[in-house]
Amino acid sequence: MNQLFEDRSFIENPQYESIIEDILKKQYSVIEDFFTAEDVSVLRQSLIEKHEEDAFKKAAIGNHLNEIIIKSIRGDVILWIDELKANEAEKIFFNKINNLVSYLNKTCFLGILHKEFHYALYPKGTYYKRHIDTFQNDDRRKLSIVCYLNEDGWLPENGGELVLYLDENEKETEKVIYPFPGRVVIFESQIIEHEVKPVNTERMSITGWLKTR
Ligand code: OGA
Ligand code: MN
């Protein structure tokens, strides 16, 4: 065994490995407790504070070329997060995300160079109709990541489930995912159509994308 050539910098991470395996096999992964209860609590507090400062704006459809607010398509309000100005909660958030990204880049040759994340709050009665996360004139988004920040005890009757529309042997199937706190969903931005069903209780999350350029 040549000790000189042994790479000691890489340690296999079972959680990340199972995310990669899921995405390769079915284009999405649902991870429980990606964020601890404490992480979720400080991130939720940060979202609530910024929302109370009125920093959120109505989410727009499309990018700046065709930025129009269409409430009939999506009713959430969002606030983009600037990593360079991250508060303590957001530092915890980016620390975990950056660890995942560097692992993906080491093992998957995905070439993720950029990322963008925003807080999202769905007021009671709002939803996001079936859509895909890539814009017609922009295919840089590779992976979508949704991190749920709701209080413990989210009930099915609260609504707000994420539905992924999957193609299984050319037959469309629906994967229903409840926005339980600490849960993270990752899926291929260019492939998976999805929607957020109407919420009956305020629904909180951080959503973002890993991009190649
Ligand atoms: C989005 C989106 C899903 C969710 O913001 O594009 O699809 O579960 N969010 O919040
Ligand atoms: Mn989406």
Side-chain angles (χ1 to χ4, degrees):
M1 172 70 124
N2 189 333
Q3 295 285 324
L4 270 178
F5 291 99
E6 203 182 325
D7 182 2
R8 290 167 186 280
S9 68
F10 182 78
I11 299 164
E12 193 167 290
N13 179 313
Q15 184 187 45
Y16 295 164
E17 288 296 329
S18 79
I19 294 171
I20 293 165
E21 202 177 301
D22 280 349
I23 292 172
L24 289 174
K25 200 165 74 191
K26 48 186 196 183
Q27 286 90 49
Y28 75 92
S29 183
V30 180
I31 309 109
E32 309 300 342
D33 303 316
F34 187 85
F35 292 102
T36 66
E38 176 63 20
D39 296 344
V40 170
S41 162
V42 293
L43 284 164
R44 182 174 56 239
Q45 215 41 55
S46 172
L47 180 155
I48 290 168
E49 269 166 33
K50 290 180 183 210
H51 187 250
E52 280 169 359
E53 289 163 10
D54 227 12
F56 283 50
K57 63 174 197 303
K58 281 257 183 309
I61 310 287
N63 53 13
H64 29 274
L65 290 177
N66 51 352
E67 194 163 304
I68 29 169
I69 295 163
I70 305 178
K71 256 185 91 185
S72 62
I73 296 178
R74 71 185 287 189
D76 58 331
V77 285
I78 66 161
L79 177 68
W80 290 99
I81 307 172
D82 184 347
E83 188 175 4
L84 298 174
K85 296 184 192 152
N87 63 25
E88 287 311 307
E90 292 159 355
K91 278 181 189 156
I92 295 169
F93 176 81
F94 281 114
N95 190 29
K96 292 212 167 159
I97 294 294
N98 291 341
N99 282 341
L100 172 63
V101 170
S102 79
Y103 197 91
L104 291 174
N105 278 338
K106 271 188 202 144
T107 57
C108 290
F109 309 105
L110 274 175
I112 302 301
L113 291 175
H114 301 287
K115 58 186 185 294
E116 53 190 9
F117 283 89
H118 64 58
Y119 292 106
L121 186 145
Y122 286 75
K124 189 170 155 49
T126 62
Y127 50 82
Y128 194 158
K129 285 244 154 91
R130 182 169 173 163
H131 67 282
I132 196 149
D133 281 349
T134 48
F135 302 117
Q136 276 167 5
N137 50 2
D138 185 349
D139 65 352
R140 288 173 295 178
R141 289 176 170 180
K142 296 300 170 205
L143 290 176
S144 303
I145 303 186
V146 193
C147 314
Y148 298 113
L149 303 181
N150 297 305
E151 301 260 8
D152 275 339
W154 183 270
L155 300 168
E157 52 263 41
N158 295 352
E161 57 272 42
L162 169 67
V163 180
L164 305 181
Y165 294 96
L166 307 170
D167 179 8
E168 281 179 9
N169 306 319
E170 310 202 350
K171 196 170 152 275
E172 184 171 279
T173 59
E174 296 181 9
K175 169 74 185 172
V176 176
I177 301 164
Y178 287 99
F180 295 141
R183 185 175 254 186
V184 167
V185 184
I186 305 181
F187 57 89
E188 287 198 30
S189 309
Q190 295 174 12
I191 294 177
I192 297 205
E193 287 187 37
H194 54 283
E195 81 173 287
V196 178
K197 294 288 187 182
V199 308
N200 303 318
T201 307
E202 206 169 65
R203 176 193 195 266
M204 291 171 279
S205 57
I206 294 176
T207 300
W209 294 273
L210 304 184
K211 302 163 67 164
T212 49
R213 56 200 156 79

